[in-house]
Amino acid sequence: MSKVGFVSLGCPKALVDSELILTRLSAEGYEVTNQYADAQLVIVNTCGFIDSAVEESLQAIGEALTENGKVIVTGCLGAKTAQDGSSMVLQRHPQVLAVTGPHATNEVLDAVHLHLPKPHDPFLDLLPPIGIKLTPKHYAYLKISEGCNHHCSFCIIPQMRGDLVSRSIDDVLSEAKKLFESGVKELLIVSQDTSAYGVDIQYRTGFWQGRPIKSKLFDLASALKEMAREHDAWVRLHYVYPYPSVDQIIPLMADFKDHGNGLLPYLDIPFQHAHPNVLKRMKRPASGEKVLERIVQWREVCPDLVIRSTFIAGFPGETRAEFDYLLDFINQSQIDRVGCFAYSPVEGASANVLDGALDQAEREDRQGEFMATAQALSLGLLERRIGQKIRVLVDSQNKQGGIGRSYADAPEIDGVVYIEPVDRPSKRYRVGDLIRATVLSTRGHDLIVRI
């Protein structure tokens, strides 16, 4: 049987691209292996967003070439060019078989067919309805659109992935239904700009189970909530920009505490900064000055709402006063989960030509100061949960207990919940179960619970 090796790097959106490629490979009869020596060629799905990710991807390509020799490169790095306009990948590794950009399943398969002919006719073979997934069986990512209409000055994603292209709502809901029916207990909605879903197709009306439904985030979230409730499952929204339309989504989350399923009271919002002048230099969308007021209003509607966000410290031209403004924003907004990057120039980004660049040491100092402030706040918020009864989605278990996540914890990026060993057989559980437990204490950014 023809065997293909696969290396998947980057964000959840790149992971979905990997899943699409793997699904097609399996449908056509290729066997996927994680051993270079067993593979007849290797596909590397790359990331090209920041310098460290570029270097990691280039090193992964080099390793695959050394260990196997036949490599096809896809993903965001494949779309990046060097200063002379040539492919960055080919400049560093000219011996690769082919290079494509992101979201290029057909192009990748064409390259595979050229160098490793497909074994059989895909129409004669069966696959699981959900295709091939790289995540555990109990959770999955669902990408609702590709690309982005915004051109933030620090970002080159639109250059690599193009403008916003939304999937039809019936297509999205059809995939969601298959995932829930396969046993998925948590569906994580991803895109470059989840709030803008449907803008490019003028919120076109589709049909789902015999009724009209608009290709709009509110309608999609409502339908997914209903579907998740039928399967006692969760839906989590990522990459949500704080457009005014987000205010309509919050009430959909408000009854989660009563049911323990449906649309999670959790928003992943990449604010990036808080000061209006910095946001203007960043060319950020939805950068209104009333964000704090809106967060207060959201929590009045949904007191259990958890907000996670990322920020950039040391952006070109950032004054000490602007940075202090950001620290004040963090303290006032009470954001639960926070990450911060020291600004790093990205080749091709317009921010590189802005005046007032800070040196690396200053950027890293501000990142450290920001994270110290944010972590103290986050730990304090976490301690408020001691004594509460919560639902936990079990990710793993052993004789020492289990590890899971609450509604406040997205996989890989937030905290976890440590489950103490059970004291009687009636309390046993399996991976993928949603269980109820009492919070006993905290450990760093994590919770310790007992059933």
Side-chain angles (χ1 to χ4, degrees):
M1 179 177 283
S2 300
K3 292 186 177 181
V4 177
F6 205 99
V7 178
S8 184
L9 304 172
C11 65
K13 296 175 287 294
L15 183 75
V16 174
D17 287 348
S18 295
E19 293 174 341
L20 291 171
I21 294 168
L22 289 169
T23 296
R24 285 282 299 278
L25 288 170
S26 296
E28 294 185 1
Y30 293 97
E31 182 178 336
V32 179
T33 176
N34 60 5
Q35 300 295 321
Y36 288 126
D38 295 339
Q40 289 161 282
L41 63 80
V42 177
I43 299 170
V44 181
N45 189 7
T46 60
C47 179
F49 183 43
I50 59 176
D51 290 347
S52 59
V54 169
E55 187 57 35
E56 179 188 14
S57 294
L58 288 170
Q59 290 179 4
I61 295 166
E63 179 181 326
L65 284 168
T66 301
E67 298 294 330
N68 183 275
K70 294 183 177 181
V71 177
I72 294 170
V73 176
T74 187
C76 287
L77 183 59
K80 291 196 74 171
T81 57
Q83 290 183 347
D84 62 1
S86 63
S87 166
M88 182 177 288
V89 172
L90 290 174
Q91 189 177 82
R92 177 87 163 258
H93 299 295
Q95 61 271 53
V96 299
L97 300 177
V99 180
T100 80
H103 199 55
T105 303
N106 290 336
E107 291 88 341
V108 172
L109 268 293
D110 288 344
V112 173
H113 297 157
L114 182 62
H115 298 282
L116 187 61
K118 54 184 179 181
H120 58 74
D121 188 333
F123 295 106
L124 301 179
D125 298 282
L126 296 176
L127 266 181
I130 62 171
I132 304 299
K133 294 295 177 187
L134 299 177
T135 49
K137 292 182 179 179
H138 60 282
Y139 72 83
Y141 293 97
L142 176 58
K143 185 160 59 173
I144 62 174
S145 64
E146 186 61 63
C148 181
N149 286 343
H150 301 289
H151 295 269
C152 301
S153 62
F154 58 84
C155 180
I156 58 172
I157 285 178
Q159 299 173 35
M160 296 186 289
R161 289 186 172 264
D163 291 337
L164 178 71
V165 179
S166 300
R167 296 173 61 185
S168 65
I169 194 163
D170 49 320
D171 188 35
V172 174
L173 292 175
S174 178
E175 182 177 351
K177 184 173 184 290
K178 291 176 182 177
L179 289 166
F180 283 132
E181 289 177 345
S182 75
V184 165
K185 284 295 182 182
E186 180 181 11
L187 200 57
L188 300 106
I189 306 304
V190 296
S191 68
Q192 303 297 336
D193 182 356
T194 296
S195 302
Y197 172 68
V199 168
D200 57 307
I201 53 177
Q202 291 76 52
Y203 305 120
R204 185 169 57 227
T205 299
F207 286 87
W208 175 246
Q209 297 183 336
R211 59 187 174 94
I213 182 170
K214 284 188 175 182
S215 298
K216 197 172 186 178
L217 182 58
F218 176 81
D219 301 76
L220 176 62
S222 299
L224 289 173
K225 173 185 175 179
E226 181 181 328
M227 198 182 298
R229 191 144 287 171
E230 292 173 0
H231 293 85
D232 190 23
W234 293 352
V235 174
R236 189 184 301 273
L237 299 179
H238 285 275
Y239 307 102
V240 177
Y241 284 79
Y243 305 140
S245 59
V246 174
D247 298 351
Q248 302 171 5
I249 305 295
I250 307 303
L252 297 176
M253 304 173 171
D255 64 351
F256 172 81
K257 188 173 184 179
D258 298 330
H259 298 271
N261 55 31
L263 186 64
L264 298 180
Y266 177 103
L267 283 178
D268 170 23
I269 304 179
F271 287 118
Q272 306 300 4
H273 211 280
H275 197 283
N277 292 343
V278 179
L279 290 168
K280 185 176 180 179
R281 293 197 295 274
M282 289 180 168
K283 297 183 179 178
R284 290 292 289 166
S287 58
E289 293 79 7
K290 296 186 177 180
V291 171
L292 276 174
E293 290 181 26
R294 293 178 64 208
I295 290 175
V296 170
Q297 292 169 1
W298 292 347
R299 288 185 169 136
E300 287 175 352
V301 174
C302 182
D304 297 313
L305 179 66
V306 165
I307 299 175
R308 110 158 322 272
S309 190
T310 52
F311 295 85
I312 297 174
F315 190 75
E318 181 189 66
T319 65
R320 180 67 212 190
E322 289 170 343
F323 179 68
D324 288 339
Y325 185 100
L326 174 59
L327 295 181
D328 289 341
F329 172 83
I330 289 298
N331 283 315
Q332 292 180 55
S333 62
Q334 300 278 292
I335 293 178
D336 304 82
R337 307 289 197 185
V338 179
C340 181
F341 301 93
Y343 173 74
S344 172
V346 176
E347 187 175 340
S350 61
N352 296 344
V353 299
L354 292 175
D355 294 332
L358 282 67
D359 61 43
Q360 184 67 27
E362 178 65 20
R363 285 179 262 155
E364 291 179 356
D365 284 347
R366 291 188 182 183
Q367 178 197 26
E369 186 177 350
F370 178 97
M371 287 308 301
T373 299
Q375 287 175 2
L377 173 64
S378 179
L379 295 177
L381 293 172
L382 207 59
E383 288 181 355
R384 296 180 186 178
R385 303 182 71 186
I386 295 174
Q388 293 182 2
K389 293 187 180 296
I390 62 172
R391 286 199 96 184
V392 178
L393 179 59
V394 180
D395 285 331
S396 64
Q397 64 171 158
N398 54 39
K399 292 181 180 178
Q400 284 71 49
I403 299 176
R405 290 175 292 107
S406 73
Y407 80 89
D409 309 303
E412 306 291 338
I413 57 175
D414 292 324
V416 298
V417 176
Y418 291 101
I419 308 163
E420 289 197 338
V422 297
D423 54 9
R424 55 179 183 268
S426 62
K427 294 183 178 180
R428 288 177 182 166
Y429 53 85
R430 297 174 297 180
V431 171
D433 283 352
L434 278 165
I435 62 173
R436 293 194 178 275
T438 301
V439 180
L440 302 178
S441 60
T442 65
R443 181 191 302 167
H445 293 281
D446 307 320
L447 298 176
I448 300 174
V449 304
R450 178 182 296 155
I451 299 177

